[in-house]
Amino acid sequence: YCNQTRLTNRSGIWLDVHLRMNNNFIQEPAVSIFRGAYLFYLTDQTRLAAGYAYVTQYAPDDSSSPDIPEHRLWQQIQWFEKKKWFSTMQWLRLEERFRTKVVDNELTSDYLFTYRVRYAVAFTIPLKGKTVAPHTPFLFINNEFMVNFGSEVVNNYFDQNRFFVGVGYQFTPALNAQVGYLNVFQQLPAYNTFRNIDAIRLFVFHNLDFRHDDR
């Protein structure tokens, strides 16, 4: 669930909540994310964000390892463009990640601190008409590339790439949903070790505007 709520011409709030599951998509929690931020609107099409996220990496059910929490600060610039037959969204995000260290299957009070840069680009293509208006189905294509850096990063400067393609439906001017295929290609901290994930992704986007009608 992803929400951007505009409070004034310049200010707003960002909120997104994620739950990722393993084992036939529904049997075992893998990751949860609760992320919030303050939004500053440079223009209607360009906005800045700064906030905090709390992330939990869940241990497999058959593991004696603990669930691992992560505290994450983040800053972002996001911009939108409308073309003749489609629209684009891009963001550039910087994250400061404090991941709790685990020793002998026990959480410690120490953190592994790293930075991560994320660049995302998305294309929204209406499947009826020329714009995504209410009651319009659309095609959604998204790619996000992530790079780690910092003194504690040794092997995996490349973090991961996420590619998504799916279909969506614009229910109202403020609400749409998307479902489709997500591929994640990720380098693990161990040297020259990678994993490839095939997933089904469901997103709900909810954008509210609480400004007065005479703005």
Side-chain angles (χ1 to χ4, degrees):
Y1 172 80
C2 303
N3 173 275
Q4 293 188 40
T5 296
R6 193 163 184 176
L7 303 175
T8 70
N9 284 340
R10 292 298 186 186
S11 297
I13 296 172
W14 172 300
L15 172 67
D16 61 286
V17 180
H18 302 249
L19 179 62
R20 302 174 188 164
M21 306 292 290
N22 282 333
N23 290 353
N24 299 317
F25 306 107
I26 60 173
Q27 294 178 357
E28 183 180 275
V31 178
S32 64
I33 302 174
F34 298 89
R35 182 164 34 217
Y38 168 77
L39 286 172
F40 181 79
Y41 289 78
L42 294 173
T43 67
D44 288 343
Q45 289 74 41
T46 305
R47 60 202 67 169
L48 305 176
Y52 166 80
Y54 182 79
V55 182
T56 303
Q57 180 80 44
Y58 295 99
D61 288 343
D62 58 357
S63 171
S64 60
S65 300
D67 299 337
I68 302 175
E70 175 185 336
H71 303 279
R72 188 182 297 175
L73 303 177
W74 64 285
Q75 305 82 40
Q76 174 179 282
I77 181 169
Q78 181 185 33
W79 62 100
F80 301 82
E81 293 182 87
K82 287 188 177 181
K83 306 295 185 180
K84 186 175 181 180
W85 296 101
F86 65 94
S87 61
T88 65
M89 184 283 299
Q90 299 178 74
W91 74 44
L92 183 64
R93 181 181 297 180
L94 174 64
E95 297 175 325
E96 298 84 30
R97 306 176 67 189
F98 298 83
R99 288 172 287 175
T100 305
K101 291 184 177 180
V102 178
V103 177
D104 297 328
N105 286 335
E106 296 288 340
L107 295 176
T108 70
S109 58
D110 294 329
Y111 294 94
L112 175 68
F113 175 71
T114 59
Y115 296 95
R116 185 166 68 179
V117 173
R118 305 168 60 161
Y119 170 72
V121 56
F123 300 89
T124 303
I125 305 167
L127 297 177
K128 182 181 71 173
K130 295 183 179 181
T131 62
V132 178
H135 312 297
T136 301
F138 58 88
L139 177 68
F140 189 80
I141 303 170
N142 182 97
N143 195 79
E144 186 173 19
F145 183 78
M146 308 183 197
V147 177
N148 298 312
F149 67 97
S151 60
E152 298 193 71
V153 178
V154 179
N155 296 313
N156 60 326
Y157 289 97
F158 165 71
D159 180 66
Q160 60 184 277
N161 189 82
R162 298 177 185 171
F163 173 77
F164 174 81
V165 58
V167 292
Y169 188 80
Q170 191 75 35
F171 296 98
T172 71
L175 181 66
N176 73 66
Q178 307 163 7
V179 64
Y181 168 73
L182 173 69
N183 175 262
V184 181
F185 181 71
Q186 183 176 23
Q187 183 175 4
L188 302 179
Y191 178 72
N192 203 28
T193 304
F194 299 86
R195 67 179 173 187
N196 193 70
I197 300 170
D198 299 305
I200 296 173
R201 190 182 87 173
L202 171 64
F203 267 20
V204 175
F205 288 88
H206 195 196
N207 298 316
L208 301 174
D209 192 337
F210 288 151
R211 293 177 295 171
H212 295 299
D213 291 338
D214 59 352
R215 59 184 178 272

